[in-house]
Amino acid sequence: MLGNLTLQALPTYSAVAATGASIAVLGAVVTFGLITYLKKWRYLWTEWFTSVDHKRIGIMYIVLALVMLTRAVIEGVLMRLQQADAVNQPGFLAPEHFGQLFTTHGTIMIFFMAMPFLTGLINYAMPLQIGARDVAFPLLNSISLWLTGGGAGIMMMSLVLGKFSTGGWSGYPPYTEMAFQPGVGPDYWIWAVTLSSIGTMLTGINFAVTIYKGRAPGMKLMDMPLFTWTALCTSILMIFAMPPLTVATVLLALDRYVGTHFFTNGMGGNMMNYANLFWLFGHPEVYILILPAFGVYSEVIAVFSSKRLYGYTSLVWATMAIAVLSFTVWLHHFFTMGQDANINAFFSIATMTIGIPTGVKIYDWLFTMYRGRVRFSVPMLFSLAFLVTFVIGGMTGIILAVPPLDFMVHNTVFLVAHFHNMLIPGLLYGMIAGYEFWFPKAFGFRLNERWGRIAFFCWVAGFYLAFMPLYVLGLEGMPRRSVEVFNNGFLPWLIVAAFGALLLFSGLASLFVQLWISVRDREHNRVPVGDPWDGRGLEWAIPAPAPEYNFAVVPQVHGRDAFTAQKEEGAAYRAPAKYEDIGVPKNSAVGPVVGLAGAACAFGLVWHIWWLAIAALVVIWGAVIARSFVRDTERIIPAEEIEAEQRAWLEQAHSVRAIDRDLEFTPENKGLAETMT
């Protein structure tokens, strides 16, 4: 009945593993117990889990990302502490456990932290920015969320039962083939990643259709905010980049489950087929991660410089150029694998070329700040740190784009420093900036500024201390993924890197402290009018938190920065001539059912519990087929209810004082910003 699952699957092989599993189980028990004690299961089910409102789905994506970020940061700290401790001695982690940690750390950071975080921000902000009521396919949005959640659940389950893969986040065969890893580790990786990739591809389709077909009347493509442009290009990348990954994981699963040899050299297969498939996904994936952060920086820098975004058209073209070029550079990930020098030269040039549109963006952001009234809010501080640090990472990328130099530092910690230099300032700083920027719109109150600045200091100082030493160590020849180090000269740098990792963890902890204090003091920091930062896009033209229907009347748009134009023309905060009934999609249990059944199917496949896998597949398709017979999918919000809500909001907007920018971080800020011209 339980397939290969026995008591031997418990994490008794390591005290650290047992501790991690115990914390995970205890956290789950406490969470479930607290929800039960507070009698909140019905509320969560009806208001959140079954909701198809894009705003709630976006918030749930971000909650998932923060939970998984916590685990991944802890794993990163453990690896840095292990290397600092293991100079000419074994250290406190067993080699196999260390291998699991660098695999789960990378897998979680890419698939279950970065992807949910950016998807959550796009989900929340993009429909508001284009004046839409919701995404094009609300139910599909819920299914995508829960498929991603199911994959994350499989990742967490691997902490408690069995051992995870030691093959790295890229899962290269032949090391992940059955001959070298006969356990369940690679299977956990395969099915968790597969669930995530399917959900992401569906999300890309949903977002692209929403942007193409759901824009407010009058909003042309070249009128869209930059964040929406980056969301569009990201969606296109999701649609075309995720299928190669799904194909690669499915073929690897066939090798492991039924004995095919797609990736076995000498048995009719070729390992390089896997490398090409994976990096056909893997390098566009880098820009799936980076482009939404670029969009966040564009919004934040313009708003907190009190200026129109400089070089809008060039930023749009640069975004599209990056999206196209991202499909032309995948082979630089395996310069050392023996292909022809001419092929290496082509991909080297393509890799360097992609730096040109990125440089255009940097200069446009700098010119936006030039002679602007720059306010050093927490989102702006993260944006400024990005500008400096990302340029450093880009220069090291140019070094790695030169094949002879890449040969010298390939598979050293120089490479580890480079991609963290791109993804932490490039992606994570952007996601944190977006979280801080749009939080008042989502919940109706501002986050605590002081703790946000503490978090900023820890994230930035921690990054430099944790990863700049790795550039030095890489140039000195320290291999990546080393569980033990045999050069005493590396020790000082490793100690500095370990201290930096602890600072990064402090940055994450500071974000949670900031959230707790902000919730505690929320009544002092309410911004119900909805425009605490003198925003420029349509998302700031509605109350905070945003109503379920988003806009009482779909706005008419006549150019870029639609809300700024309304404020300058005196047309903001005016009641429409007429209110009408609004239809919104009803809640649906299909998303949670499909996601939970997907996780159950994956768990069954991992442990060869065939009845569970088959039953879960039946449930998935049964839910989808049953949904196809449902016709009553919308409920109507009466015009009278909408009018009452809007009148109360407009009265509040007209009664509060528009605050100067010098007061925007004080309780005086009620969400009505004084317009800067």
Side-chain angles (χ1 to χ4, degrees):
M1 288 292 290
L2 296 180
N4 295 335
L5 183 59
T6 67
L7 290 176
Q8 299 300 316
L10 294 174
T12 56
Y13 57 91
S14 162
V16 177
T19 302
S22 300
I23 292 173
V25 172
L26 181 62
V29 169
V30 169
T31 301
F32 277 72
L34 191 60
I35 295 171
T36 303
Y37 175 76
L38 296 174
K39 300 179 180 178
K40 292 294 184 180
W41 283 111
R42 180 182 294 276
Y43 166 78
L44 290 173
W45 179 258
T46 57
E47 297 295 325
W48 290 93
F49 296 162
T50 59
S51 175
V52 295
D53 181 354
H54 72 95
K55 299 180 292 297
R56 291 182 180 255
I57 288 176
I59 291 168
M60 286 189 282
Y61 264 118
I62 294 171
V63 170
L64 173 64
L66 291 174
V67 171
M68 300 306 285
L69 174 63
T70 302
R71 176 182 168 184
V73 168
I74 291 171
E75 291 173 338
V77 171
L78 287 174
M79 286 188 286
R80 288 286 158 260
L81 292 175
Q82 161 67 20
Q83 289 183 325
D85 183 48
V87 178
N88 291 319
Q89 61 179 7
F92 62 91
L93 287 176
E96 185 184 22
H97 191 203
F98 185 84
Q100 292 180 59
L101 286 179
F102 67 66
T103 305
T104 54
H105 173 80
T107 303
I108 288 172
M109 281 296 200
I110 298 296
F111 295 105
F112 300 106
M113 186 287 292
M115 295 298 288
F117 215 146
L118 69 89
T119 304
L121 285 182
I122 295 173
N123 241 311
Y124 189 90
M126 178 270 289
L128 297 177
Q129 288 192 327
I130 65 174
R133 296 247 184 258
D134 208 318
V135 294
F137 309 114
L139 179 60
L140 187 64
N141 202 17
S142 174
I143 292 172
S144 299
L145 164 69
W146 285 95
L147 284 173
T148 303
I154 289 296
M155 291 296 301
M156 297 305 289
M157 189 63 69
S158 71
L159 190 63
V160 180
L161 294 174
K163 299 177 181 178
F164 201 73
S165 172
T166 57
W169 83 278
S170 54
Y172 271 3
Y175 187 60
T176 50
E177 297 276 13
M178 191 63 75
F180 293 93
Q181 283 199 72
V184 297
D187 301 323
Y188 266 126
W189 181 85
I190 287 168
W191 300 118
V193 168
T194 299
L195 286 174
S196 171
S197 65
I198 293 172
T200 300
M201 183 184 68
L202 297 176
T203 294
I205 295 170
N206 205 349
F207 286 165
V209 174
T210 301
I211 295 170
Y212 282 134
K213 306 297 290 184
R215 301 190 304 278
M219 180 177 281
K220 301 174 184 177
L221 285 173
M222 294 304 288
D223 293 333
M224 297 192 309
L226 245 297
F227 182 73
T228 299
W229 261 112
T230 59
L232 175 59
C233 291
T234 297
S235 303
I236 295 169
L237 293 180
M238 288 176 175
I239 295 168
F240 290 101
M242 302 313 294
L245 174 65
T246 305
V247 170
T249 56
V250 169
L251 293 180
L252 182 59
L254 289 173
D255 277 9
R256 291 183 58 84
Y257 282 79
V258 298
T260 57
H261 295 283
F262 289 106
F263 306 125
T264 308
N265 292 338
M267 298 291 288
N270 189 335
M271 180 268 165
M272 290 305 299
N273 289 336
Y274 182 91
N276 278 283
L277 282 170
F278 184 86
W279 290 111
L280 271 172
F281 145 80
H283 204 84
E285 168 70 5
V286 172
Y287 294 97
I288 289 173
L289 303 181
I290 293 293
L291 286 178
F294 285 177
V296 171
Y297 297 131
S298 298
E299 302 293 329
V300 168
I301 290 172
V303 167
F304 289 106
S305 298
S306 303
K307 279 182 65 180
R308 192 175 192 180
L309 191 64
Y310 181 90
Y312 173 90
T313 303
S314 63
L315 282 167
V316 170
W317 282 105
T319 300
M320 291 191 287
I322 289 170
V324 172
L325 289 172
S326 71
F327 284 100
T328 69
V329 297
W330 82 90
L331 197 135
H332 72 218
H333 289 276
F334 41 96
F335 273 155
T336 62
M337 291 188 183
Q339 57 270 1
D340 184 85
N342 291 324
I343 296 175
N344 279 356
F346 172 85
F347 282 91
S348 173
I349 294 168
T351 302
M352 294 181 187
T353 303
I354 208 168
I356 297 173
T358 306
V360 169
K361 286 177 171 286
I362 297 291
Y363 281 109
D364 281 339
W365 291 322
L366 291 174
F367 285 129
T368 300
M369 290 186 287
Y370 177 65
R371 301 190 72 176
R373 185 178 177 183
V374 178
R375 291 113 63 197
F376 295 103
S377 65
V378 173
M380 190 64 171
L381 290 173
F382 275 104
S383 300
L384 294 173
F386 150 77
L387 286 173
V388 176
T389 313
F390 191 79
V391 169
I392 296 172
M395 290 189 293
T396 64
I398 297 300
I399 292 173
L400 290 168
V402 181
L405 297 178
D406 185 77
F407 268 71
M408 297 297 294
V409 297
H410 190 76
N411 267 343
T412 70
V413 290
F414 186 96
L415 183 61
V416 175
H418 164 70
F419 66 69
H420 282 88
N421 203 159
M422 305 307 288
L423 292 181
I424 293 180
L427 164 80
L428 191 54
Y429 288 4
M431 296 300 100
I432 296 172
Y435 160 78
E436 301 270 347
F437 184 57
W438 281 303
F439 187 95
K441 176 57 60 179
F443 295 100
F445 59 91
R446 291 178 293 105
L447 287 167
N448 182 276
E449 193 74 12
R450 177 171 174 268
W451 274 99
R453 292 173 186 271
I454 292 172
F456 163 77
F457 169 80
C458 292
W459 278 109
V460 174
F463 168 79
Y464 277 96
L465 291 174
F467 293 104
M468 291 302 161
L470 301 192
Y471 282 124
V472 179
L473 292 170
L475 291 174
E476 292 182 353
M478 178 177 165
R480 64 195 292 204
R481 300 169 177 167
S482 300
V483 66
E484 191 173 345
V485 181
F486 300 98
N487 187 329
N488 289 325
F490 293 169
L491 181 59
W493 296 107
L494 291 171
I495 291 174
V496 173
F499 178 70
L502 291 171
L503 259 184
L504 288 173
F505 179 77
S506 300
L508 177 62
S510 298
L511 288 178
F512 288 120
V513 172
Q514 179 197 33
L515 179 60
W516 180 77
I517 290 176
S518 301
V519 172
R520 184 195 66 187
D521 299 337
R522 61 189 178 277
E523 295 303 327
H524 296 290
N525 297 305
R526 292 282 184 190
V527 287
V529 180
D531 181 28
W533 314 128
D534 187 21
R536 308 185 70 83
L538 289 174
E539 73 267 34
W540 305 107
I542 57 178
E548 182 180 8
Y549 46 83
N550 292 351
F551 299 90
V553 176
V554 174
Q556 293 281 335
V557 176
H558 305 291
R560 298 202 300 269
D561 296 337
F563 185 45
T564 294
Q566 290 179 13
K567 290 186 285 187
E568 291 175 349
E569 295 166 4
Y573 308 113
R574 286 186 179 178
K578 180 183 178 183
Y579 292 94
E580 296 180 352
D581 295 348
I582 296 176
V584 295
K586 286 185 174 180
N587 286 10
S588 173
V590 172
V593 169
V594 169
L596 293 173
C601 180
F603 187 78
L605 289 169
V606 167
W607 291 101
H608 295 194
I609 308 174
W610 304 118
W611 64 267
L612 178 60
I614 294 169
L617 276 176
V618 170
V619 170
I620 291 171
W621 287 109
V624 172
I625 293 169
R627 172 68 184 189
S628 68
F629 290 96
V630 176
R631 293 291 177 265
D632 184 18
T633 60
E634 191 176 85
R635 64 182 180 85
I636 302 299
I637 302 177
E640 296 78 14
E641 180 182 332
I642 297 167
E643 183 175 5
E645 291 179 1
Q646 290 294 303
R647 285 188 182 278
W649 170 61
L650 291 172
E651 287 176 7
Q652 193 168 34
H654 294 144
S655 65
V656 303
R657 180 172 67 92
I659 57 105
D660 183 76
R661 297 302 80 212
D662 295 329
L663 300 173
E664 69 182 344
F665 304 131
T666 71
E668 297 292 320
N669 187 351
K670 299 300 180 185
L672 183 63
E674 186 178 82
T675 302
M676 302 295 299
T677 57

